[in-house]
């Protein structure tokens, strides 16, 4: 499956029983309307997100869904990776993952992490493996380790407020054929929000859209990355799906850039 376009993020989903019905409905609406990629992690609600995703996808053709999950950096040894994966698979109700990511850099040697992941891949328990919250130096180090060039994807924060990856990481990943997954396109992972500027409102009005739809259309504009907004309600999922049809022209992009400038030098990798 092509790892570009729109996916479903699940950070903070599955943690409130009162929201369970709406969250499952939102995921199923996405699956029923063309979205095939779901991103989760053992960290999210300490497995509650994976459990909810497993309930949401029950009854669907597993081969038509691309499941991504992540493991803690302190589980990044062959033995602990296997233990984490087995627990994730049980919660998700599946016998394999399409993509398994190291959630962020830890203290374990990358060579050990890769060895464990390659073993899981050979056994068919995962189809591909990758990393998350890696910057350009991290990726270069990963590629210097035996087996590191098999990294399929890297997932990082990417939105209008956090564009640092554009300076060097995105070009490096494109050159080295590593897929890029951008999380938190609305910067809402910890309740933060991107400021709604006059220009954003203007562009949104011209497209009969919301400013948040413009933020998502902007993140998707290159057609080369996967963006994974969280949607806990069907109404939000509908808005996200509709945002895929918004094409921003050069004048609109210049307006947006005037409020949220492109990086002109190397910036520290942002995480939320």
């Amino acid at each position: 499956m092509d790892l570009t376009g729109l996916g479903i993020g699940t950070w903070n989903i599955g943690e409130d029983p009162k929201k369970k019905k709406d969250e499952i409905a939102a995921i199923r609406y996405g699956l029923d309307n063309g979205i095939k990629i779901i991103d989760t992690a053992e960290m999210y609600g300490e497995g509650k997100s994976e459990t909810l995703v497993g309930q949401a996808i029950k009854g669907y053709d597993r081969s038509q869904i691309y499941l991504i999950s992540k493991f803690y950096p302190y589980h990044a040894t062959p033995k602990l990776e296997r233990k984490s994966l087995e627990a994730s698979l049980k919660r998700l109700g599946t016998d394999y993952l399409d993509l398994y990511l190291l959630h962020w850099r830890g203290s374990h040697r990358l060579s050990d992490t890769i060895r464990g992941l390659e073993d899981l891949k050979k056994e068919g328990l995962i189809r591909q493996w990758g990393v998350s919250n890696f910057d350009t130096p991290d990726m270069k180090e990963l590629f210097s380790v035996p087996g590191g060039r098999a990294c399929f994807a890297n997932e990082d924060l990417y939105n209008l407020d956090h564009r640092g990856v554009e300076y060097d990481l995105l070009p490096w990943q494109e050159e080295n054929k590593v897929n890029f997954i951008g999380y938190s396109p609305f910067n809402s992972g910890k309740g933060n929000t991107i400021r709604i500027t006059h220009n954003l409102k203007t562009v949104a009005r011209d497209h009969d859209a919301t400013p948040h739809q413009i933020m998502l259309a902007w993140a998707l504009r290159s057609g080369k990355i996967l963006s994974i907004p969280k949607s806990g309600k069907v109404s939000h999922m509908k808005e996200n799906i509709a945002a895929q049809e918004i094409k921003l022209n050069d004048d609109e992009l210049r307006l947006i850039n005037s409020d949220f400038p492109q990086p002109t030098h190397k910036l520290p990798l942002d995480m939320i």
Side-chain angles (χ1 to χ4, degrees):
M1 186 176 293
D2 189 20
L3 217 59
T4 59
L6 185 64
I8 300 172
T10 61
W11 191 8
N12 295 328
I13 281 182
E15 298 183 34
D16 185 347
K18 295 190 294 292
K19 297 179 180 179
K20 176 180 175 180
K21 184 178 179 181
D22 285 343
E23 291 169 344
I24 288 177
I27 291 173
R28 289 179 174 170
Y29 185 89
L31 293 174
D32 291 340
N33 288 273
I35 303 181
K36 301 302 180 186
I37 302 173
I38 303 175
D39 176 278
T40 187
E42 68 173 352
M43 185 193 83
Y44 299 168
E46 294 299 322
K48 291 178 181 176
S49 168
E50 290 178 324
T51 298
L52 185 131
V53 170
Q55 294 169 345
I57 66 174
K58 192 174 293 185
Y60 284 84
D61 182 350
R62 174 66 182 88
S63 68
Q64 296 302 305
I65 299 174
Y66 193 98
L67 281 181
I68 305 169
S69 195
K70 312 178 200 72
F71 57 96
Y72 279 115
Y74 44 83
H75 291 163
T77 65
K79 182 178 179 180
L80 294 177
E81 284 166 355
R82 183 178 297 275
K83 185 177 179 180
S84 283
L85 177 62
E86 288 173 350
S88 290
L89 293 177
K90 184 176 181 180
R91 289 189 290 264
L92 288 162
T94 186
D95 56 3
Y96 73 96
L97 285 179
D98 296 279
L99 179 59
Y100 202 30
L101 305 179
L102 170 61
H103 210 147
W104 62 88
R105 288 291 305 257
S107 58
H108 293 299
R109 291 183 300 182
L110 289 174
S111 57
D112 289 341
T113 303
I114 294 168
R115 179 164 52 86
L117 290 168
E118 283 295 324
D119 286 344
L120 296 173
K121 185 176 175 182
K122 287 174 185 174
E123 293 176 41
L125 295 173
I126 63 174
R127 298 289 171 83
Q128 301 284 356
W129 64 265
V131 294
S132 182
N133 296 302
F134 270 43
D135 202 353
T136 312
D138 300 308
M139 293 302 299
K140 290 179 178 178
E141 181 182 345
L142 180 69
F143 264 45
S144 74
V145 177
R149 291 177 177 270
C151 176
F152 187 72
N154 176 32
E155 179 176 315
D156 285 330
L157 177 65
Y158 183 54
N159 58 47
L160 282 172
D161 264 347
H162 298 277
R163 299 182 62 174
V165 297
E166 293 178 9
Y167 184 74
D168 58 349
L169 182 60
L170 280 178
W172 187 92
Q173 288 194 205
E174 184 175 355
E175 180 182 348
N176 288 277
K177 297 180 172 54
V178 179
N179 292 283
F180 183 85
I181 305 170
Y183 68 80
S184 293
F186 309 129
N187 205 33
S188 54
K190 290 187 176 179
N192 302 319
T193 56
I194 297 172
R195 66 192 188 279
I196 308 297
T197 65
H198 174 75
N199 285 331
L200 264 182
K201 291 178 181 177
T202 298
V203 175
R205 187 169 56 248
D206 289 345
H207 286 273
D208 192 23
T210 68
H212 281 81
Q213 286 179 304
I214 299 304
M215 293 177 195
L216 184 54
W218 176 89
L220 295 169
R221 70 196 185 284
S222 70
K224 297 177 180 180
I225 75 163
L226 172 68
S227 188
I228 49 169
K230 180 192 78 171
S231 302
K233 295 181 179 180
V234 169
S235 58
H236 293 164
M237 185 65 73
K238 287 181 178 179
E239 287 188 0
N240 291 345
I241 290 171
Q244 297 177 103
E245 304 304 317
I246 298 173
K247 306 302 179 188
L248 303 172
N249 62 39
D250 290 343
D251 289 338
E252 291 167 335
L253 290 173
R254 276 192 287 270
L255 277 178
I256 293 170
N257 286 340
S258 68
D259 292 331
F260 305 94
Q262 295 171 280
T264 56
H265 58 278
K266 176 66 178 173
L267 296 170
L269 185 71
D270 293 315
M271 292 174 58
I272 57 171

